[in-house]
Amino acid sequence: MNMSEAKAPIAKKIPFTLEKHGDVRVDNYYWLSDKENPEVIAHLKAEKQYYDSLTAHTKPFQELLFNEMKARIKEDDASVPYKQNGYWYITRYETGKEYPIYSRKKGSLDASEEIMFDGNEMAKGHEYFSIGGIAISPNNKLAAFGVDTVSRRQYTIRIKNLETGEIYEDTIENTTGGSVWADDNKTLFYTKKDEVTLRSDKIMKHKFGTPAEEDVLVFHEKDDTFGTYVYKSKSKKYIYIGSYSTLTSEYQYLRSDDPDGELQMFSPRERGVEYSVSHYGSHFYILTNKDGATNFKLMKTDENATTSDRWEEFIPHREDVLLEDVDMFKDYYVISERSNGLNQIKINRWDGSDSYYLPFDSETYTAGVGRNPDFDTEILRYSYNSMTTPSSVIDFNMRTKEKEVKKEQEVLGGAFDKNNYKEKRIWATARDGVKIPMSIVYHKDTELNQETPVLQYAYGSYGHTIDPYFSTVRLSLLDRGFVYIVAHIRGGEYLGRPWYENGKLLKKKNTFTDFIDCSKYLLEQGYTSPKHLYAMGGSAGGLLMGAVINMAPGLYNGVIAAVPFVDVVTTMLDDSIPLTTGEYDEWGNPNDKTYYDYMKSYSPYDQVVAQEYPNLLVTTGLHDSQVQYFEPAKWEAKLREMKTDKNLLMMDINMDTGHGGASGRFESLREVAKEYAFFLDLEGKVTE
């Protein structure tokens, strides 16, 4: 690649002094955070142009990759129908169209289809389009739905008559999109967002047919480290209002048949106590970490005595098994667990006459309970996939133990055979002696040696686990000789809650050193060499990439940091930025010097130094609400100023969209094609 063809845009330096705890930081690129400044937009456009010129030679190859990935996807696809309140609901796609069609059938799947929403019609005239939170009234006649056409996750709720097709004048702006109907088919509860921070902070009550200005405030979450949401119990008897922060939760509730009644407190928040509530019969069941139950336990309490001092143990805490979820049915309750990193599903009869685990025999896989809105049924719907096995949706009869595969993801194009791929789990030893698991997949013809290209991926924050899942898109890398690895580093919850606790706050650096130690293990074991090792992460995983290339730049040939959170200290000190205050429990509050110093010691932007860095592609979106565009823009400007190598440094900025990228079903594949082309180009594998 000829670097002289295009000149890298150099951002001007305007020193801006930031002082905290007597520590002075000078940010030369702070000015880039002003989106209204024409010079900022000009700089971003220059970056985009620079990226386009450096990758122009890969454009035909990107198109080839895009078409190859698209060809594997069934265009006229449909979800497995699920039953709710007498109707079967289906989401389907039509060939050549980007957006879903939401439909339903009354009583039986042989009934005629009613189209509720056609996303393709609704998206016309919009660069970005997303429909969310479809809520059907109890009498099945009305649907509330949310629409976002900007990509800042601010939805406008409207109401549609499903019998006449009329969309009513009711217009509720700046919401999360979701809503809940009371039993009267008139009252709608929804979540409103703060205009500036986008925090979900108010639960409102709307009466169908009245102006939104008259909506009543039901609950205002005033603590800016908490968000709030509203939903209905599966039994349909209660409407819950939840408040949550990273470490603490609280619920209030009222009866669905009494929407104007008084809100009842379930159990007041206690710092560090998380709980969630399910209703069955005359009891509530509570999944909680109360009393030091790090991996959670299940408790129960009488409907009329809900405070935590009345809760009784139902399933005790276990040191080695994470209790993730519970699903209630009329005759059964189903427990979702994670043991040694793997999902387990346990089925129990309420009367105690039967209790067993679903059998999964693979070494590494992902299984999870699916959507089961029907309460009075003996069928459990769950999903199963692995890195070599396409996803399937299975209906399991909990009484007869018979299973029926309702749908297996089709991989079109004729070339896919799961027996052509190998998957396994390997364990690296971290510098503190802890064993770190990795899930790995590759084509059976790929030889593992120093010339083998390996892409190592991870996220590693918020206790969010990246499971070893199947991807049709990834086949484009595997079929070209790449090994793909998910590193289950600390900060996620793969090995239970302690795995998360040991990768956050003042132990956050474990996340970064685990990733590096996994890479070192791959090099030591001869899977690859630094010339052929690549890394990728997005959002908080982009922070991971930024930290890793500061700490161990020589391990990788190329890195992609997608929508990266890299200016940790400045962002965490600015509580006007969307979502900052809710993050204190994850990263710490830098208003406290201990956290400030620790954060600064790994913040990718603050720690950029004069050294050689790997080839780097940064991606972002101008309207991103989760990680503001200026973080990657500033980081890249500073890297360009400081780095001592001649490697690639490019930023692909989408001037139209936000955090999730493009909204259309296939358009997002273009972004993956760009990312894969970056890695394959560095490997010399770009073909026409």
Side-chain angles (χ1 to χ4, degrees):
M1 184 173 291
N2 185 355
M3 295 290 284
S4 61
E5 292 165 21
K7 205 156 164 36
I10 304 295
K12 65 180 182 186
K13 291 160 75 164
I14 306 176
F16 183 82
T17 303
L18 296 147
E19 190 174 345
K20 189 80 184 175
H21 306 300
D23 178 53
V24 175
R25 291 180 303 138
V26 178
D27 185 347
N28 289 320
Y29 303 108
Y30 191 87
W31 66 277
L32 283 171
S33 57
D34 180 8
K35 195 161 36 176
E36 305 306 312
N37 179 350
E39 283 188 67
V40 171
I41 298 297
H43 174 72
L44 297 176
K45 285 183 170 163
E47 284 286 5
K48 174 75 173 154
Q49 214 172 341
Y50 178 65
Y51 165 78
D52 285 342
S53 65
L54 284 188
T55 55
H57 67 287
T58 70
K59 281 285 188 286
F61 180 61
Q62 288 179 35
E63 197 59 28
L64 176 96
L65 284 174
F66 170 76
N67 288 320
E68 177 179 296
M69 293 187 236
K70 188 177 175 204
R72 295 192 196 104
I73 296 173
K74 190 167 192 272
E75 288 205 40
D76 54 343
D77 205 359
S79 63
V80 181
Y82 66 88
K83 195 175 186 192
Q84 191 167 359
N85 199 16
Y87 278 81
W88 289 93
Y89 287 89
I90 302 151
T91 305
R92 62 180 181 79
Y93 288 92
E94 290 182 352
T95 304
K97 295 187 177 173
E98 287 278 345
Y99 295 96
I101 294 166
Y102 297 93
S103 69
R104 66 179 187 173
K105 295 179 175 186
K106 188 172 183 178
S108 127
L109 286 169
D110 301 327
S112 57
E113 181 186 54
E114 299 173 30
I115 290 183
M116 302 186 297
F117 300 100
D118 182 342
N120 303 291
E121 288 301 314
M122 295 167 75
K124 283 182 178 167
H126 298 292
E127 278 289 326
Y128 177 91
F129 175 80
S130 171
I131 181 170
I134 296 171
I136 311 291
S137 60
N139 64 7
N140 289 317
K141 292 181 179 178
L142 302 172
F145 63 101
V147 169
D148 172 15
T149 54
V150 185
S151 175
R152 268 180 84 75
R153 304 188 183 185
Q154 287 168 291
Y155 287 81
T156 299
I157 294 175
R158 305 291 306 269
I159 297 172
K160 182 173 184 174
N161 184 317
L162 293 176
E163 295 178 331
T164 66
E166 180 187 354
I167 293 182
Y168 295 104
E169 284 183 13
D170 309 49
T171 304
I172 308 168
E173 292 183 344
N174 193 28
T175 76
T176 56
S179 56
V180 175
W181 289 96
D183 290 354
D184 61 3
N185 301 293
K186 284 197 189 74
T187 311
L188 198 64
F189 293 86
Y190 64 92
T191 309
K192 194 116 178 136
K193 291 187 161 192
D194 181 286
E195 292 277 354
V196 180
T197 65
L198 302 188
R199 179 171 73 90
S200 301
D201 66 342
K202 293 184 179 79
I203 303 296
M204 307 291 292
K205 181 163 66 178
H206 175 76
K207 295 289 184 187
F208 172 49
T210 65
E213 299 83 71
E214 293 173 16
D215 290 1
V216 175
L217 177 67
V218 179
F219 172 64
H220 182 193
E221 178 49 76
K222 293 190 170 133
D223 183 333
D224 63 7
T225 64
F226 279 75
T228 184
Y229 59 103
V230 58
Y231 68 105
K232 205 175 210 174
S233 68
K234 188 169 168 177
S235 66
K236 303 284 181 255
K237 186 172 176 180
Y238 294 105
I239 290 169
Y240 300 124
I241 289 173
S243 290
Y244 64 94
S245 73
T246 311
L247 294 176
T248 309
S249 43
E250 173 183 87
Y251 291 87
Q252 301 172 77
Y253 65 101
L254 46 79
R255 286 176 63 115
S256 305
D257 61 6
D258 184 21
D260 297 324
E262 203 60 39
L263 204 54
Q264 302 289 317
M265 172 60 70
F266 191 88
S267 189
R269 63 189 71 177
E270 296 171 59
R271 170 114 182 125
V273 175
E274 295 172 65
Y275 71 92
S276 59
V277 182
S278 303
H279 172 250
Y280 174 78
S282 59
H283 286 84
F284 286 111
Y285 289 79
I286 305 107
L287 187 63
T288 181
N289 66 350
K290 183 172 139 55
D291 307 323
T294 314
N295 272 330
F296 288 79
K297 59 183 173 181
L298 192 62
M299 304 184 80
K300 68 183 274 195
T301 194
D302 188 273
E303 247 178 341
N304 302 310
T306 61
T307 51
S308 63
D309 56 330
R310 309 293 291 271
W311 301 353
E312 297 161 22
E313 202 158 89
F314 187 67
I315 296 177
H317 173 253
R318 288 160 293 171
E319 290 294 328
D320 54 346
V321 179
L322 176 67
L323 190 54
E324 291 195 311
D325 209 358
V326 57
D327 280 88
M328 307 277 174
F329 296 88
K330 185 165 169 269
D331 296 325
Y332 299 87
Y333 63 96
V334 178
I335 300 294
S336 299
E337 306 173 344
R338 190 182 286 274
S339 177
N340 195 29
L342 299 176
N343 304 118
Q344 312 262 27
I345 297 172
K346 188 179 190 184
I347 292 165
N348 310 274
R349 274 192 76 101
W350 283 111
D351 65 12
S353 63
D354 203 4
S355 173
Y356 57 93
Y357 284 95
L358 290 180
F360 301 122
D361 48 9
S362 173
E363 182 184 2
T364 174
Y365 63 88
T366 301
V369 171
R371 190 164 186 176
N372 290 277
D374 214 0
F375 185 68
D376 187 2
T377 178
E378 52 189 31
I379 303 294
L380 172 74
R381 175 163 293 173
Y382 71 93
S383 62
Y384 178 88
N385 74 91
S386 76
M387 290 174 102
T388 60
T389 313
S391 184
S392 50
V393 176
I394 296 153
D395 276 1
F396 178 82
N397 187 309
M398 295 182 277
R399 181 177 52 83
T400 66
K401 302 182 185 173
E402 294 168 310
K403 69 177 193 182
E404 182 189 351
V405 177
K406 299 301 284 185
K407 178 180 183 180
E408 184 167 302
Q409 177 185 1
E410 289 182 58
V411 184
L412 303 185
F416 176 74
D417 175 354
K418 64 179 278 186
N419 299 313
N420 284 335
Y421 303 90
K422 290 183 177 177
E423 63 184 334
K424 59 181 177 177
R425 194 162 60 155
I426 57 177
W427 301 74
T429 304
R431 56 197 68 182
D432 61 358
V434 173
K435 295 262 191 278
I436 313 295
M438 291 181 268
S439 296
I440 164 172
V441 63
Y442 53 97
H443 195 284
K444 68 174 177 17
D445 297 341
T446 299
E447 285 181 37
L448 303 178
N449 58 40
Q450 303 216 313
E451 301 298 305
T452 310
V454 171
L455 175 55
Q456 183 181 328
Y457 172 81
Y459 183 70
S461 290
Y462 303 106
H464 176 70
T465 298
I466 304 289
D467 280 306
Y469 63 98
F470 182 78
S471 158
T472 60
V473 172
R474 193 192 297 138
L475 298 172
S476 291
L477 278 182
L478 304 184
D479 291 350
R480 288 176 174 82
F482 263 79
V483 176
Y484 185 90
I485 292 177
V486 177
H488 304 291
I489 54 183
R490 282 173 283 187
E493 218 166 59
Y494 185 78
L495 290 178
R497 190 56 179 245
W499 205 244
Y500 170 40
E501 303 289 346
N502 286 313
K504 64 188 281 204
L505 297 174
L506 298 173
K507 295 180 179 167
K508 187 67 222 167
K509 284 186 192 171
N510 283 338
T511 302
F512 316 135
T513 54
D514 282 0
F515 191 89
I516 291 166
D517 293 343
C518 284
S519 299
K520 287 180 172 168
Y521 176 83
L522 295 170
L523 298 173
E524 283 158 17
Q525 295 297 313
Y527 278 84
T528 186
S529 57
K531 268 205 206 90
H532 300 284
L533 181 58
Y534 300 90
M536 180 170 174
S539 198
L543 161 68
L544 168 67
M545 294 300 108
V548 161
I549 62 172
N550 283 336
M551 294 161 85
L555 293 182
Y556 310 95
N557 186 32
V559 173
I560 292 181
V563 292
F565 170 42
V566 281
D567 189 8
V568 187
V569 181
T570 307
T571 292
M572 293 303 296
L573 281 169
D574 183 350
D575 55 21
S576 75
I577 291 178
L579 312 176
T580 288
T581 48
E583 303 275 315
Y584 290 157
D585 288 333
E586 179 72 22
W587 315 101
N589 181 346
N591 292 300
D592 170 338
K593 187 172 182 330
T594 307
Y595 287 105
Y596 174 91
D597 291 342
Y598 187 75
M599 236 178 239
K600 185 182 167 187
S601 74
Y602 67 73
S603 167
Y605 184 60
D606 292 291
Q607 295 303 323
V608 172
V609 292
Q611 65 178 7
E612 293 198 358
Y613 282 92
N615 293 289
L616 184 65
L617 170 60
V618 185
T619 67
T620 184
L622 186 60
H623 300 293
D624 196 323
S625 62
Q626 313 299 107
V627 177
Q628 307 293 321
Y629 76 90
F630 47 80
E631 291 201 36
K634 286 166 43 170
W635 179 48
E636 207 211 18
K638 189 171 179 182
L639 278 165
R640 192 163 280 146
E641 174 199 348
M642 304 286 285
K643 73 192 194 85
T644 59
D645 57 81
K646 295 273 192 289
N647 289 332
L648 291 169
L649 173 60
M650 323 183 269
M651 180 165 70
D652 180 23
I653 176 162
N654 187 324
M655 302 299 275
D656 290 323
T657 67
H659 196 66
S663 60
R665 163 182 194 222
F666 298 117
E667 283 312 299
S668 57
L669 294 178
R670 292 198 183 278
E671 303 188 6
V672 181
K674 285 178 177 179
E675 292 165 354
Y676 285 7
F678 171 74
F679 292 129
L680 289 160
D681 190 26
L682 290 170
E683 277 296 307
K685 289 178 183 275
V686 167
T687 53
E688 293 302 314

